[in-house]
mmCIF file of all heavy atoms in Angstrom:
data_model
loop_
_atom_site.group_PDB
_atom_site.id
_atom_site.type_symbol
_atom_site.label_atom_id
_atom_site.label_comp_id
_atom_site.label_asym_id
_atom_site.label_seq_id
_atom_site.Cartn_x
_atom_site.Cartn_y
_atom_site.Cartn_z
ATOM 1 N N THR A 928 -56.808 -44.841 -64.064
ATOM 2 C CA THR A 928 -55.968 -43.834 -63.453
ATOM 3 C C THR A 928 -55.571 -44.241 -61.988
ATOM 4 O O THR A 928 -56.437 -44.663 -61.224
ATOM 5 C CB THR A 928 -56.765 -42.453 -63.420
ATOM 6 O OG1 THR A 928 -57.026 -42.148 -64.766
ATOM 7 C CG2 THR A 928 -55.975 -41.398 -62.728
ATOM 8 N N PRO A 929 -54.284 -44.110 -61.690
ATOM 9 C CA PRO A 929 -53.888 -44.408 -60.255
ATOM 10 C C PRO A 929 -54.614 -43.546 -59.259
ATOM 11 O O PRO A 929 -54.912 -42.379 -59.521
ATOM 12 C CB PRO A 929 -52.379 -44.112 -60.313
ATOM 13 C CG PRO A 929 -51.962 -44.199 -61.712
ATOM 14 C CD PRO A 929 -53.129 -43.761 -62.561
ATOM 15 N N ALA A 930 -54.899 -44.146 -58.098
ATOM 16 C CA ALA A 930 -55.691 -43.459 -57.063
ATOM 17 C C ALA A 930 -55.112 -42.124 -56.651
ATOM 18 O O ALA A 930 -55.797 -41.118 -56.441
ATOM 19 C CB ALA A 930 -55.850 -44.337 -55.862
ATOM 20 N N GLU A 931 -53.725 -42.055 -56.607
ATOM 21 C CA GLU A 931 -53.095 -40.805 -56.168
ATOM 22 C C GLU A 931 -53.361 -39.673 -57.145
ATOM 23 O O GLU A 931 -53.448 -38.531 -56.720
ATOM 24 C CB GLU A 931 -51.635 -40.986 -55.895
ATOM 25 C CG GLU A 931 -50.752 -41.394 -57.053
ATOM 26 C CD GLU A 931 -50.710 -42.913 -57.223
ATOM 27 O OE1 GLU A 931 -51.500 -43.661 -56.549
ATOM 28 O OE2 GLU A 931 -49.860 -43.360 -58.008
ATOM 29 N N ILE A 932 -53.464 -39.977 -58.418
ATOM 30 C CA ILE A 932 -53.796 -38.924 -59.404
ATOM 31 C C ILE A 932 -55.267 -38.587 -59.384
ATOM 32 O O ILE A 932 -55.668 -37.388 -59.345
ATOM 33 C CB ILE A 932 -53.357 -39.366 -60.859
ATOM 34 C CG1 ILE A 932 -51.833 -39.551 -60.933
ATOM 35 C CG2 ILE A 932 -53.896 -38.410 -61.936
ATOM 36 C CD1 ILE A 932 -51.400 -40.176 -62.206
ATOM 37 N N ARG A 933 -56.091 -39.637 -59.284
ATOM 38 C CA ARG A 933 -57.545 -39.369 -59.195
ATOM 39 C C ARG A 933 -57.975 -38.531 -57.960
ATOM 40 O O ARG A 933 -58.821 -37.674 -58.047
ATOM 41 C CB ARG A 933 -58.251 -40.693 -59.270
ATOM 42 C CG ARG A 933 -59.756 -40.575 -59.370
ATOM 43 C CD ARG A 933 -60.238 -39.825 -60.549
ATOM 44 N NE ARG A 933 -61.566 -39.358 -60.517
ATOM 45 C CZ ARG A 933 -61.946 -38.151 -60.131
ATOM 46 N NH1 ARG A 933 -61.075 -37.161 -59.748
ATOM 47 N NH2 ARG A 933 -63.241 -37.807 -60.013
ATOM 48 N N LYS A 934 -57.299 -38.785 -56.855
ATOM 49 C CA LYS A 934 -57.534 -38.136 -55.650
ATOM 50 C C LYS A 934 -57.324 -36.611 -55.804
ATOM 51 O O LYS A 934 -57.984 -35.801 -55.092
ATOM 52 C CB LYS A 934 -56.627 -38.672 -54.551
ATOM 53 C CG LYS A 934 -56.872 -38.216 -53.134
ATOM 54 C CD LYS A 934 -55.971 -38.967 -52.175
ATOM 55 C CE LYS A 934 -56.198 -38.517 -50.749
ATOM 56 N NZ LYS A 934 -55.269 -39.166 -49.834
ATOM 57 N N LEU A 935 -56.402 -36.209 -56.698
ATOM 58 C CA LEU A 935 -56.099 -34.824 -56.928
ATOM 59 C C LEU A 935 -57.018 -34.193 -57.986
ATOM 60 O O LEU A 935 -56.852 -33.026 -58.364
ATOM 61 C CB LEU A 935 -54.642 -34.661 -57.335
ATOM 62 C CG LEU A 935 -53.634 -35.071 -56.217
ATOM 63 C CD1 LEU A 935 -52.204 -35.060 -56.802
ATOM 64 C CD2 LEU A 935 -53.746 -34.148 -55.034
ATOM 65 N N GLY A 936 -57.942 -34.993 -58.502
ATOM 66 C CA GLY A 936 -58.970 -34.473 -59.484
ATOM 67 C C GLY A 936 -58.612 -34.797 -60.948
ATOM 68 O O GLY A 936 -59.381 -34.442 -61.821
ATOM 69 N N GLY A 937 -57.459 -35.497 -61.146
ATOM 70 C CA GLY A 937 -57.086 -35.791 -62.516
ATOM 71 C C GLY A 937 -57.430 -37.177 -63.000
ATOM 72 O O GLY A 937 -57.883 -38.021 -62.198
ATOM 73 N N ALA A 938 -57.274 -37.370 -64.268
ATOM 74 C CA ALA A 938 -57.485 -38.721 -64.879
ATOM 75 C C ALA A 938 -56.548 -38.710 -66.103
ATOM 76 O O ALA A 938 -56.193 -37.720 -66.692
ATOM 77 C CB ALA A 938 -58.936 -38.950 -65.288
ATOM 78 N N LEU A 939 -56.122 -39.954 -66.405
ATOM 79 C CA LEU A 939 -55.114 -40.162 -67.512
ATOM 80 C C LEU A 939 -55.836 -40.699 -68.777
ATOM 81 O O LEU A 939 -56.808 -41.373 -68.755
ATOM 82 C CB LEU A 939 -54.109 -41.160 -67.119
ATOM 83 C CG LEU A 939 -53.232 -40.809 -65.908
ATOM 84 C CD1 LEU A 939 -52.281 -41.926 -65.623
ATOM 85 C CD2 LEU A 939 -52.550 -39.477 -66.085
ATOM 86 N N TYR A 940 -55.256 -40.271 -69.887
ATOM 87 C CA TYR A 940 -55.655 -40.794 -71.228
ATOM 88 C C TYR A 940 -54.381 -41.066 -72.048
ATOM 89 O O TYR A 940 -53.319 -40.568 -71.715
ATOM 90 C CB TYR A 940 -56.593 -39.827 -71.930
ATOM 91 C CG TYR A 940 -55.934 -38.547 -72.372
ATOM 92 C CD1 TYR A 940 -55.355 -38.405 -73.659
ATOM 93 C CD2 TYR A 940 -55.863 -37.418 -71.480
ATOM 94 C CE1 TYR A 940 -54.672 -37.229 -74.010
ATOM 95 C CE2 TYR A 940 -55.241 -36.272 -71.900
ATOM 96 C CZ TYR A 940 -54.638 -36.156 -73.160
ATOM 97 O OH TYR A 940 -54.022 -34.987 -73.527
ATOM 98 N N CYS A 941 -54.556 -41.819 -73.124
ATOM 99 C CA CYS A 941 -53.418 -42.097 -74.035
ATOM 100 C C CYS A 941 -53.822 -41.949 -75.450
ATOM 101 O O CYS A 941 -55.040 -42.028 -75.811
ATOM 102 C CB CYS A 941 -52.967 -43.562 -73.831
ATOM 103 S SG CYS A 941 -52.118 -43.887 -72.359
ATOM 104 N N CYS A 942 -52.832 -41.722 -76.302
ATOM 105 C CA CYS A 942 -53.032 -41.643 -77.765
ATOM 106 C C CYS A 942 -51.741 -41.891 -78.461
ATOM 107 O O CYS A 942 -50.721 -42.003 -77.800
ATOM 108 C CB CYS A 942 -53.565 -40.251 -78.138
ATOM 109 S SG CYS A 942 -52.472 -38.891 -77.778
ATOM 110 N N HIS A 943 -51.809 -42.077 -79.724
ATOM 111 C CA HIS A 943 -50.627 -42.362 -80.543
ATOM 112 C C HIS A 943 -50.491 -41.244 -81.598
ATOM 113 O O HIS A 943 -51.341 -41.150 -82.503
ATOM 114 C CB HIS A 943 -50.791 -43.725 -81.235
ATOM 115 C CG HIS A 943 -49.541 -44.164 -81.912
ATOM 116 N ND1 HIS A 943 -49.182 -43.668 -83.140
ATOM 117 C CD2 HIS A 943 -48.618 -45.127 -81.574
ATOM 118 C CE1 HIS A 943 -48.092 -44.280 -83.519
ATOM 119 N NE2 HIS A 943 -47.746 -45.182 -82.571
ATOM 120 N N ARG A 944 -49.485 -40.426 -81.496
ATOM 121 C CA ARG A 944 -49.221 -39.346 -82.408
ATOM 122 C C ARG A 944 -47.720 -39.350 -82.721
ATOM 123 O O ARG A 944 -46.859 -39.642 -81.858
ATOM 124 C CB ARG A 944 -49.586 -37.999 -81.829
ATOM 125 C CG ARG A 944 -51.047 -37.894 -81.292
ATOM 126 C CD ARG A 944 -52.057 -37.737 -82.452
ATOM 127 N NE ARG A 944 -53.336 -37.337 -81.960
ATOM 128 C CZ ARG A 944 -54.232 -38.118 -81.394
ATOM 129 N NH1 ARG A 944 -53.991 -39.391 -81.241
ATOM 130 N NH2 ARG A 944 -55.409 -37.604 -80.967
ATOM 131 N N TYR A 945 -47.357 -38.808 -83.904
ATOM 132 C CA TYR A 945 -45.978 -38.615 -84.255
ATOM 133 C C TYR A 945 -45.081 -39.803 -84.065
ATOM 134 O O TYR A 945 -43.938 -39.700 -83.731
ATOM 135 C CB TYR A 945 -45.412 -37.440 -83.520
ATOM 136 C CG TYR A 945 -46.358 -36.174 -83.534
ATOM 137 C CD1 TYR A 945 -47.006 -35.828 -82.396
ATOM 138 C CD2 TYR A 945 -46.564 -35.454 -84.701
ATOM 139 C CE1 TYR A 945 -47.879 -34.735 -82.371
ATOM 140 C CE2 TYR A 945 -47.416 -34.417 -84.810
ATOM 141 C CZ TYR A 945 -48.088 -34.039 -83.600
ATOM 142 O OH TYR A 945 -48.915 -32.940 -83.608
ATOM 143 N N GLY A 946 -45.686 -41.015 -84.300
ATOM 144 C CA GLY A 946 -44.898 -42.189 -84.174
ATOM 145 C C GLY A 946 -44.558 -42.691 -82.795
ATOM 146 O O GLY A 946 -43.747 -43.539 -82.590
ATOM 147 N N ARG A 947 -45.349 -42.121 -81.796
ATOM 148 C CA ARG A 947 -45.072 -42.631 -80.428
ATOM 149 C C ARG A 947 -46.405 -42.540 -79.633
ATOM 150 O O ARG A 947 -47.360 -41.874 -80.028
ATOM 151 C CB ARG A 947 -43.986 -41.815 -79.729
ATOM 152 C CG ARG A 947 -44.263 -40.339 -79.610
ATOM 153 C CD ARG A 947 -43.199 -39.597 -78.838
ATOM 154 N NE ARG A 947 -43.229 -40.088 -77.439
ATOM 155 C CZ ARG A 947 -42.390 -39.734 -76.551
ATOM 156 N NH1 ARG A 947 -41.443 -38.938 -76.822
ATOM 157 N NH2 ARG A 947 -42.490 -40.195 -75.318
ATOM 158 N N VAL A 948 -46.360 -43.137 -78.413
ATOM 159 C CA VAL A 948 -47.508 -43.188 -77.504
ATOM 160 C C VAL A 948 -47.331 -42.104 -76.479
ATOM 161 O O VAL A 948 -46.264 -41.955 -75.950
ATOM 162 C CB VAL A 948 -47.664 -44.559 -76.862
ATOM 163 C CG1 VAL A 948 -48.824 -44.538 -75.912
ATOM 164 C CG2 VAL A 948 -47.773 -45.656 -77.892
ATOM 165 N N PHE A 949 -48.443 -41.325 -76.291
ATOM 166 C CA PHE A 949 -48.404 -40.275 -75.262
ATOM 167 C C PHE A 949 -49.392 -40.621 -74.153
ATOM 168 O O PHE A 949 -50.459 -41.168 -74.439
ATOM 169 C CB PHE A 949 -48.817 -38.913 -75.910
ATOM 170 C CG PHE A 949 -47.773 -38.381 -76.777
ATOM 171 C CD1 PHE A 949 -47.810 -38.655 -78.165
ATOM 172 C CD2 PHE A 949 -46.793 -37.554 -76.279
ATOM 173 C CE1 PHE A 949 -46.823 -38.116 -79.026
ATOM 174 C CE2 PHE A 949 -45.853 -36.924 -77.131
ATOM 175 C CZ PHE A 949 -45.869 -37.202 -78.480
ATOM 176 N N VAL A 950 -49.015 -40.301 -72.885
ATOM 177 C CA VAL A 950 -49.864 -40.326 -71.821
ATOM 178 C C VAL A 950 -50.148 -38.931 -71.406
ATOM 179 O O VAL A 950 -49.202 -38.143 -71.169
ATOM 180 C CB VAL A 950 -49.300 -41.087 -70.622
ATOM 181 C CG1 VAL A 950 -50.173 -41.144 -69.415
ATOM 182 C CG2 VAL A 950 -48.964 -42.593 -70.998
ATOM 183 N N GLY A 951 -51.394 -38.505 -71.255
ATOM 184 C CA GLY A 951 -51.714 -37.209 -70.905
ATOM 185 C C GLY A 951 -52.690 -37.151 -69.711
ATOM 186 O O GLY A 951 -53.162 -38.215 -69.272
ATOM 187 N N SER A 952 -52.992 -35.964 -69.185
ATOM 188 C CA SER A 952 -53.934 -35.901 -68.118
ATOM 189 C C SER A 952 -54.883 -34.777 -68.366
ATOM 190 O O SER A 952 -54.616 -33.822 -69.131
ATOM 191 C CB SER A 952 -53.202 -35.610 -66.782
ATOM 192 O OG SER A 952 -52.547 -34.348 -66.840
ATOM 193 N N ASN A 953 -56.069 -34.928 -67.831
ATOM 194 C CA ASN A 953 -57.130 -33.894 -67.845
ATOM 195 C C ASN A 953 -57.789 -33.946 -66.499
ATOM 196 O O ASN A 953 -57.611 -34.935 -65.726
ATOM 197 C CB ASN A 953 -58.206 -34.214 -68.856
ATOM 198 C CG ASN A 953 -57.936 -33.628 -70.241
ATOM 199 O OD1 ASN A 953 -57.878 -34.338 -71.202
ATOM 200 N ND2 ASN A 953 -57.773 -32.308 -70.328
ATOM 201 N N GLY A 954 -58.624 -32.968 -66.245
ATOM 202 C CA GLY A 954 -59.536 -33.049 -65.086
ATOM 203 C C GLY A 954 -60.470 -34.201 -65.405
ATOM 204 O O GLY A 954 -60.891 -34.399 -66.525
ATOM 205 N N ALA A 955 -60.730 -34.991 -64.394
ATOM 206 C CA ALA A 955 -61.588 -36.187 -64.571
ATOM 207 C C ALA A 955 -63.012 -35.881 -65.080
ATOM 208 O O ALA A 955 -63.688 -36.651 -65.690
ATOM 209 C CB ALA A 955 -61.702 -37.011 -63.289
#
């Protein structure tokens, strides 16, 4: 996760659904 997102309390995750790749966020 990029520092600017992590600094705000978030973190990124990815998955593959519906024939495409998604990037999502959650609280870290």
Side-chain angles (χ1 to χ4, degrees):
T928 299
E931 60 272 12
I932 293 172
R933 184 61 196 96
K934 188 175 179 181
L935 297 171
L939 300 179
Y940 68 91
C941 289
C942 62
H943 188 281
R944 305 283 194 280
Y945 312 109
R947 62 175 294 174
V948 179
F949 289 90
V950 178
S952 65
N953 270 125

